[in-house]
Amino acid sequence: MIRFAWLLLAVGLWSAPRPAPAQPGPARLVPYRKGAQWGYADRRGRLVLPLRYDEAGPFVDEVAWVRVGPLYGYIDGAGNAVTPVQFERAGTFRGGRARVSLPGGEAFDINSSGQRLTAPPEVLEEDFMAQGDPVRQGGKVGFRFTVGHAEVPPVYDEVRDLYHDGLLLVRRGPKWGVVDNRGRLRLEPQFDAITAVEQNGYQFPIVEQQGRFGYLGADGKLLVAPKYAAAEPFVAGVARVTTAAGQTGYIDTDGREYFE
């Protein structure tokens, strides 16, 4: 389970986040599904690696997991095997390593060459600066930005710092919206939840409304309106979604769907 690292600015509560790690750039190829088969397409939607997998994951550092039958393996950007199809579970690469497990339960990390790693993941200590400070008044909370003179008035019940682009998430009652560093609402509080995660630098938060999921763009406005039954965080420029009909596929940072 990924731990969410939020700066929670609810009244009387301060939680300091860990610094966001460096993020991989957008992948050259995107998992593409047609019917029950998976392959990979380029960013124009043209099939590059044929439809021969039962499931496929995103490329990170030119390595991706694929499933054939009940087992998983890894391939490179040319479709060549990096590992045999032998794992019961296989994770997406992050920080140069991925978690896998063999039938029988043995679990370990591998590198992008498929070699087993014995050293634990390196933990980097970095200085971190949030975008400003909370402002509290009359049981409500606002925000004062460090850069510039903008202030978000203390009219909200909770404020969360997205750590980039001068954007904040704000809650009024049970609903969430978005405020920018000029103190203006980018999106009125209307969502049941907005979730951003450290693993992708808090980019493209997932929005939830009446049991459906969509995404915010880098500008804090809607990239994809809530329409999916399930949505996962973006990794290397793609995100895994499930439609209301139960079909699974990937979308890119323009909201384009790579499945049919």
Side-chain angles (χ1 to χ4, degrees), residues 4-18 128 130 132-136 141-143 157-163 168-171 176 194-196 202:
F4 294 168
W6 281 112
L7 174 63
L8 298 182
L9 304 181
V11 176
L13 178 62
W14 176 278
S15 177
R18 293 175 296 173
F128 182 83
D133 302 298
V135 177
R136 301 181 178 89
V141 62
F143 197 83
D157 296 300
E158 188 175 349
V159 176
R160 294 178 177 179
D161 190 346
L162 278 178
Y163 316 125
L168 305 171
L169 304 182
V170 294
R171 180 174 62 82
W176 289 90
I194 303 179
T195 304
Y202 308 99

Side-chain angles (χ1 to χ4, degrees), residues 111 125 231:
N111 63 19
E125 298 293 336

Side-chain angles (χ1 to χ4, degrees), residues 79-101:
N80 301 313
V82 174
T83 72
V85 177
Q86 62 179 342
F87 301 115
E88 188 174 59
R89 295 182 180 181
T92 299
F93 273 88
R94 182 184 178 196
R97 57 201 300 143
R99 191 71 171 172
V100 297
S101 64

